[in-house]
Every structure is written in structure tokens, then in C-alpha cells.
Amino acid sequence: MNRKLFETIYNEANFGTEVGRSGRRAKGPYDNKLSPALASFDDQLDHERSNNEDELRKGRENKLWDAYDDAVSDRAWDKAHSLAVETDEAIADLVEELREHFPTVQVAHRIKSEHSAKRKASSKEVGWAGLDDMVGYALVFDTQEEVESAADILKADDRVARIYDYVDSDPNKYYGYNCSLRADIGSEIQLETLRLLVFKDLYGHIFYEMLRDIGLKLESDHSDELEDLIADIMGMMRSAFEECRAAEGTWEKIKCPKAINDIDDDEKQLILANVRPETRQRAEDLLYDKIDAKEALKNCHELDGIDIHGLI
């Protein structure tokens, strides 16, 4: 895999660069901030990190740094959560207006948890200012035609900062539309059909976790073997979503994508050996078709409020 191409794709997968029909737009870790009101917390952490660079590089225990990091992160979280509540209310108003055009649209939403926000912001490449999904909405429409119509309405709404169509884009992005509100905190509003939402939550997230884990490992081990794994996972992910989009009618169950058969057992074992321990079981369940879809959906909190019975 061409190294420059891989780096572009990997950065998009991990650092939030958006890709749409308008083409690629490069974005560094602190450029085009998605949560600009939180940038000052990143500046504080960066300044203190530079003062402790030698100790941190050597992995030494530094209780003063840890305490400082925790204190700044606590203040950042308080600010982030306050802004997220305001943004959530603004998006709720926008959604209610959409209901006038699409009365059967289903809505799931959440504000990112403290643990999840701090974990993502702890990455130097993301930071608090790079949080692009503190507020998340999924708008589930009956048909793809309704998805397209809703996207057209949002494109013309001045409250919407940007909207992207991922259908013809890179496979490390979800298929469908994704937009965000003009606000001081990053938000994500996904427009999709029920089939795509369920398929993504059952399988798409696991593909992404495998990509992310091996991509992070590649940062310290630039091997052809890992690059090939990334390319193969992305190929499986694209095929899986294409399979989902091409399916018609309802399923008696949500089927595991046939794309997992595109690689042999040796490569599956290599993937499992290179993902984080917390990802390994989920990855194994996907690669070896062990996922009980109906049981998994019962525990999928992202689908709270969405009626999935018509699909499964």
C-alpha cells in the first residue's frame, strides 16, 4: 500500500478529517477546531507537557504532572458538558422542524460520557478542541429517498456548519450523511436508514476498532505486514457496507457480512494478535461469525428509542 495514501487514510480514520464530494481537506490536530471553546485547556496541557517532556518520554512516574493533567481535564469536562447540553437543545429544535417534513423519522441521541470524552481528548492529536462528537444524533428514516431529502434541507440551513455524503467516500467512514451544527462544541448528526444504523452498530464499529488499533500500532512499527492488514480490513469494511446497502426487504436476522470470508484464517489470527485486548473478543466474534444479532441489539444503548422490530 502506498505509504502517503495510507497516512492520509489513517489520519482521516483517527483525527477526524472530513471527506465529502467537495474532495479532501487536510486538517492538522489543532486546525479548524471543532470545539474552539476548549482550545485553552489544550494549550495549558501542551505547555505543562513540554516542561515535563523528558520525564514523560522516559515513562517516569510524575505525580505532579498527573495531578495537573487531572485538574485541567476536570475543568475541561465541566465546560464541555455545559456546552454539550446547550448544543443538544439546539439540535433538538432542528430535529423537531424536520419532523414536520418526515413525521415517521426516529431519533436516538446522546451526550458523550465523561470517561469517553477524557479518553478521546487525551490523545495529543485530538485534544479537547478536536472533540467532534460531544453531542451525537442519529436520525433514522424509512427510505433512502427520505435521507436524501433531509440532507438537502439541512444543506440549506444556516445553522448547519457542514454536511458530508460518505456513500462514495473512503470505507473508514460510515455510509450515509453526517453533519454538525454551528456551535462551540463538536456535534455529529447522522442521517441513515434503519438497516444501515443497525448494521453499523452490530458490525461497522468493530471494523473501525480493528482499523484504529492496528493503525496506532503502525505508528511505532512501520511494517508492510501491518499496512497489508489495514488495507484488507478496509476492503472487508467496504464490501460489508456495500452488502448492507444492496440488500432489499427485511431480514429474519441481521446477517454477518460475507466479506469476513475474503481473508483466510491465518490473516484473521494476525488481526487478533495486533488489536488491543479490549477489542480482541469483539473482533473474534465478527471474524468468525459468532455474533448473535438479536441478543447484541438488546444491549445496544445507541439504539435506545429506535424501533428495530420491523427489521429483525
Side-chain angles (χ1 to χ4, degrees):
M1 188 181 198
N2 178 274
R3 180 70 195 171
K4 187 173 182 60
L5 173 61
F6 170 79
E7 288 177 347
T8 299
I9 294 172
Y10 171 66
N11 285 337
E12 287 165 4
N14 288 280
F15 306 146
T17 300
E18 308 294 357
V19 181
R21 286 180 174 170
S22 59
R24 299 187 185 281
R25 181 182 53 180
K27 183 184 70 177
Y30 293 111
D31 296 330
N32 189 28
K33 297 179 179 66
L34 297 166
S35 298
L38 304 181
S40 63
F41 298 106
D42 293 323
D43 294 338
Q44 294 173 49
L45 291 170
D46 284 346
H47 178 73
E48 189 66 19
R49 186 181 287 111
S50 66
N51 292 337
N52 291 272
E53 187 173 358
D54 290 341
E55 289 79 5
L56 293 172
R57 187 189 304 116
K58 296 173 184 176
R60 295 175 180 170
E61 183 179 5
N62 190 328
K63 293 182 178 180
L64 286 176
W65 159 255
D66 290 341
Y68 184 85
D69 187 9
D70 289 344
V72 173
S73 295
D74 286 345
R75 293 198 302 273
W77 161 251
D78 289 342
K79 181 70 171 179
H81 186 262
S82 174
L83 292 171
V85 170
E86 295 176 8
T87 302
D88 182 73
E89 293 173 352
I91 296 176
D93 291 340
L94 182 63
V95 170
E96 285 306 307
E97 293 175 23
L98 279 177
R99 285 189 191 277
E100 297 178 8
H101 302 276
F102 311 100
T104 60
V105 66
Q106 299 189 70
V107 181
H109 73 107
R110 61 100 183 101
I111 292 177
K112 206 172 191 68
S113 70
E114 179 176 1
H115 171 74
S116 181
K118 287 182 175 179
R119 181 180 62 183
K120 187 169 184 177
S122 66
S123 168
K124 187 178 178 181
E125 289 78 10
V126 178
W128 286 95
L131 289 178
D132 57 355
D133 59 349
M134 268 299 296
V135 182
Y137 269 72
L139 307 185
V140 183
F141 297 87
D142 293 334
T143 65
Q144 186 61 33
E145 289 73 21
E146 287 188 349
V147 172
E148 301 290 340
S149 297
D152 288 339
I153 291 173
L154 292 177
K155 286 175 184 176
D157 196 309
D158 290 338
R159 290 170 294 180
V160 174
R162 52 193 177 273
I163 182 166
Y164 294 97
D165 173 1
Y166 293 133
V167 172
D168 298 317
S169 188
D170 288 313
N172 56 315
K173 292 292 185 183
Y174 303 135
Y175 285 69
Y177 286 92
N178 190 314
C179 66
S180 59
L181 212 64
R182 296 185 186 279
D184 289 328
I185 198 75
S187 59
E188 180 180 68
I189 309 170
Q190 298 172 27
L191 313 177
E192 51 207 345
T193 61
L194 178 58
R195 181 191 307 282
L196 181 58
L197 176 69
V198 172
F199 193 89
K200 181 187 71 180
D201 283 319
L202 278 177
Y203 306 116
H205 287 317
I206 308 175
F207 279 118
Y208 177 76
E209 288 170 12
M210 293 189 295
L211 267 179
R212 179 191 59 195
D213 289 359
I214 298 176
L216 289 172
K217 195 166 187 179
L218 189 66
E219 286 186 324
S220 57
D221 179 11
H222 293 166
S223 70
D224 291 340
E225 185 176 64
L226 291 181
E227 288 191 2
D228 289 342
L229 281 183
I230 289 281
D232 288 340
I233 293 171
M234 291 178 68
M236 284 195 294
M237 192 173 183
R238 179 180 292 281
S239 296
F241 276 105
E242 290 292 351
E243 181 183 336
C244 173
R245 291 174 60 220
E248 297 180 358
T250 58
W251 296 334
E252 292 183 4
K253 66 174 185 176
I254 307 297
K255 296 180 179 178
C256 190
K258 296 176 183 177
I260 62 170
N261 298 317
D262 292 347
I263 62 173
D264 59 27
D265 188 67
D266 287 343
E267 193 161 11
K268 291 178 181 180
Q269 289 299 315
L270 194 57
I271 290 174
L272 296 177
N274 284 283
V275 297
R276 296 176 304 160
E278 53 264 44
T279 303
R280 192 166 298 136
Q281 186 59 59
R282 283 163 50 80
E284 180 179 335
D285 289 347
L286 170 64
L287 294 173
Y288 289 95
D289 195 8
K290 296 180 181 179
I291 296 176
D292 183 328
K294 291 186 177 181
E295 190 62 32
L297 289 173
K298 292 178 183 177
N299 300 313
C300 186
H301 299 299
E302 291 187 30
L303 295 175
D304 286 351
I306 304 296
D307 180 10
I308 61 175
H309 299 295
L311 189 60
I312 64 171

